[in-house]
Amino acid sequence: MKISATALALASLTGLCYSFTTTNTGSFKIRPASSTAILSATVEEAATYADPSRYLSDHPKNNVPPHIAALVGRGLHTRPDHPIGIIRAKIQEYFASLPNEYIVYDAEDPIVTTTQCFDDLRIAPDHPGRSPSDTYYLDDSTLLRTHTSAHQSEHLRSGVDCFLCAGDVYRRDEIDSSHYPAFHQLEAVKLFPKEDMAGADGLSGEDWENSAECKVIAEDLKKTLEGLMDHLFGETEKKWSEDYFPFTTPSYELEIKYEGEWLEVLGCGVVHEEVLEMADRADRRGWAFGLGMERLAMILFEIPDIRLFWSDDDRFHSQFKEGQITKFKSYSKYPPVLKDIAFWIPEGFEENDFFELGRGIAGDLVERMELIDEFTNPKKGKTSKCYRITYRSMDRSLTNEEIDALQDELRERVLDLGVEVR
Ligand code: FA5
Ligand code: MG
């Protein structure tokens, strides 16, 4: 069964929150979800997200650099002919073929509170993911969402049982061809009918986890996701592993085989009872997952570098059409320029600060920053790190002079991190 392309396009223009209903003729109706259930944004609100001044301020806790603020609000996941938008439509198509009706949210404000992103999800105050070395804060209590799970609780609280939620998320992270500080996630939550869970009424902790009902949910989750992977990739090799998230238990990650290597594509689990309780849904049970759309798109379209998704180059965009999965043809293999930098690190050195400095100076010309050597001098009691920076443009050749200038600036500005360049 397919959702017609026009219906999807219409949905992404007008939608922001809509649901698909299967009719017995096999066609789809798109109808707005009941208005009482909506906490989602309007088209007008979503249009304001692309304003960098929303994210930049001189608040002492603000650590959003201009190059990140410039990425927010591009809405790649709502563009029908962008690989991220095409994947999203494919995923929605799959969920529309399932018996439950999923409401789709795709225009929530990327600015969320620490309550939404962390507290509502049992992410403890001292969890590393909350630290400013990993997260972009606007001030003490607001941040750029680090995952779409930040919207789980508000939708649950509003009374919705099954929903998808897609959006751009932001993390200070390592830099290489599959990690980018901005990427897109798609979240799904499904609550089960009360009567199906009656046998586990009042159970919590291990008693709940060992119950037949909890196993039913975990099985349904895995079956749903395996079905999704087959829908996207055809039959493909999959591997489930145990994972840990404070907001689900049990938790799992799914890896799929891509070019001989296992690639993590999503995290998921049975929603923790305390999360449901905090969302005033203690009477229900269910599952949730969050997947990385770039990872899936890189495999499906054979897009070799995550930076390409943000490209403005027509040689990239002209290759993709709504509803079509086509193999990306590289239009360039410009040579890289490699530069090493070594320094003694101070106590409390945060690698992500260094990575971000690189991105801030050289933008998308940085393909990769990798630690290639590290040693501690016992006499000095100091540790030295050496990083190799791969500079490469996706649309032109680089000159030595321009890269030398960037590297010189990096050597200078890295001193602000308290390091001693060797
Ligand atoms: C999460 O973000 C959880 N919120 C997922 C979840 C939702 C679990 C609901 C349970 C219930 P994680 O940090 O593993 O988990 O990220 C999920 C996916 O996002 C990863 O599997 C990967 O596909 C993608 N991802 C993570 N970091 C990056 C990155 N820097 N660049 C591109 N994709 C990334
Ligand atoms: Mg993970």
Side-chain angles (χ1 to χ4, degrees):
M1 265 187 270
K2 288 216 157 56
I3 297 170
S4 83
T6 5
L8 264 179
L10 194 89
S12 42
L13 287 173
T14 59
L16 313 170
C17 172
Y18 44 83
S19 62
F20 298 111
T21 314
T22 320
T23 63
N24 49 15
T25 58
S27 64
F28 284 89
K29 274 198 307 213
I30 294 176
R31 60 169 186 75
S34 76
S35 53
T36 52
I38 309 305
L39 276 174
S40 191
T42 62
V43 182
E44 292 74 33
E45 274 165 349
T48 66
Y49 301 161
D51 173 7
S53 71
R54 290 184 89 221
Y55 313 104
L56 303 171
S57 79
D58 48 19
H59 189 282
K61 291 283 168 63
N62 187 303
N63 64 347
V64 183
H67 70 273
I68 295 295
L71 299 175
V72 190
R74 294 228 206 142
L76 306 185
H77 60 291
T78 58
R79 292 196 205 163
D81 53 359
H82 188 284
I84 301 294
I86 298 171
I87 290 269
R88 189 187 83 132
K90 277 284 258 190
I91 297 172
Q92 278 177 211
E93 176 182 278
Y94 170 75
F95 278 92
S97 76
L98 301 179
N100 289 77
E101 192 179 301
Y102 288 80
I103 293 181
V104 182
Y105 300 94
D106 67 4
E108 283 116 330
D109 196 333
I111 300 178
V112 297
T113 62
T114 46
T115 311
Q116 287 173 291
C117 203
F118 304 125
D119 301 324
D120 280 349
L121 297 166
R122 302 180 70 254
I123 296 174
D126 60 351
H127 189 282
R130 289 176 83 131
S131 108
S133 65
D134 286 37
T135 297
Y136 294 108
Y137 280 90
L138 277 75
D139 53 37
D140 295 281
S141 59
T142 60
L143 57 131
L144 288 173
R145 66 187 162 214
T146 57
H147 54 178
T148 42
S149 303
H151 300 291
Q152 259 189 35
S153 296
E154 70 198 64
H155 296 315
L156 285 170
R157 205 171 281 123
S158 76
V160 178
D161 290 347
C162 296
F163 59 88
L164 306 179
C165 166
D168 38 334
V169 304
Y170 299 84
R171 292 185 194 176
R172 302 184 77 213
D173 210 334
E174 54 198 288
I175 294 187
D176 64 24
S177 63
S178 66
H179 289 82
Y180 199 76
F183 60 101
H184 293 78
Q185 287 190 336
L186 184 130
E187 189 94 3
V189 173
K190 172 180 171 183
L191 296 187
F192 284 62
K194 245 180 179 165
E195 43 298 358
D196 295 0
M197 295 289 130
D201 257 358
L203 296 186
S204 61
E206 279 187 22
D207 293 338
W208 158 247
E209 276 196 48
N210 293 326
S211 70
E213 286 76 8
C214 183
K215 294 203 170 81
V216 166
I217 295 178
E219 281 311 305
D220 184 75
L221 169 63
K222 288 183 171 174
K223 205 184 82 207
T224 306
L225 285 168
E226 287 171 10
L228 173 61
M229 292 304 138
D230 291 344
H231 178 74
L232 294 176
F233 298 103
E235 295 275 315
T236 175
E237 264 190 273
K238 315 171 192 72
K239 184 164 85 184
W240 287 104
S241 319
E242 303 260 314
D243 204 341
Y244 172 79
F245 300 101
F247 39 98
T248 51
T249 182
S251 306
Y252 311 96
E253 66 168 25
L254 179 63
E255 290 168 279
I256 62 173
K257 195 69 160 282
Y258 174 58
E259 297 199 326
E261 306 233 357
W262 290 106
L263 190 75
E264 181 203 324
V265 291
L266 64 87
C268 65
V270 177
V271 181
H272 197 290
E273 66 228 32
E274 287 173 20
V275 170
L276 292 166
E277 227 167 83
M278 284 188 276
D280 298 324
R281 304 298 299 271
D283 59 333
R284 302 291 291 274
R285 312 273 191 177
W287 54 241
F289 73 78
L291 58 79
M293 285 197 273
E294 275 80 356
R295 295 277 168 87
L296 298 178
M298 287 175 83
I299 302 174
L300 273 179
F301 295 90
E302 295 180 7
I303 294 172
D305 193 300
I306 197 163
R307 290 174 295 171
L308 282 161
F309 293 107
W310 299 88
S311 161
D312 289 323
D313 198 316
D314 197 48
R315 287 174 294 178
F316 179 76
H317 292 284
S318 63
Q319 297 196 24
F320 304 104
K321 300 275 170 311
E322 182 173 351
Q324 292 177 23
I325 309 263
T326 45
K327 301 300 171 209
F328 173 66
K329 289 184 210 69
S330 275
Y331 44 82
S332 67
K333 274 257 177 347
Y334 295 96
V337 178
L338 305 182
K339 296 279 172 192
D340 293 350
I341 179 169
F343 43 72
W344 300 105
I345 58 164
E347 213 163 298
F349 172 75
E350 287 290 352
E351 212 168 34
N352 283 346
D353 293 342
F354 175 60
F355 294 152
E356 187 158 277
L357 193 62
R359 211 36 119 200
I361 292 170
D364 281 358
L365 295 183
V366 181
E367 178 172 288
R368 182 171 187 169
M369 297 174 79
E370 89 192 282
L371 182 66
I372 53 168
D373 188 36
E374 176 172 8
F375 67 89
T376 303
N377 180 321
K379 276 205 207 117
K380 282 187 151 192
K382 279 188 169 179
T383 298
S384 161
K385 291 193 181 223
C386 179
Y387 290 90
R388 172 153 302 158
I389 299 153
T390 308
Y391 295 94
R392 192 204 303 260
S393 164
M394 284 174 296
D395 39 47
R396 62 190 178 83
S397 287
L398 298 171
T399 64
N400 262 323
E401 295 75 59
E402 70 178 318
I403 297 308
D404 284 344
L406 294 173
Q407 185 74 5
D408 286 347
E409 189 177 343
L410 183 64
R411 290 177 73 86
E412 196 145 306
R413 300 245 317 260
V414 75
L415 301 177
D416 296 344
L417 303 179
V419 311
E420 200 185 312
V421 177
R422 299 177 51 222

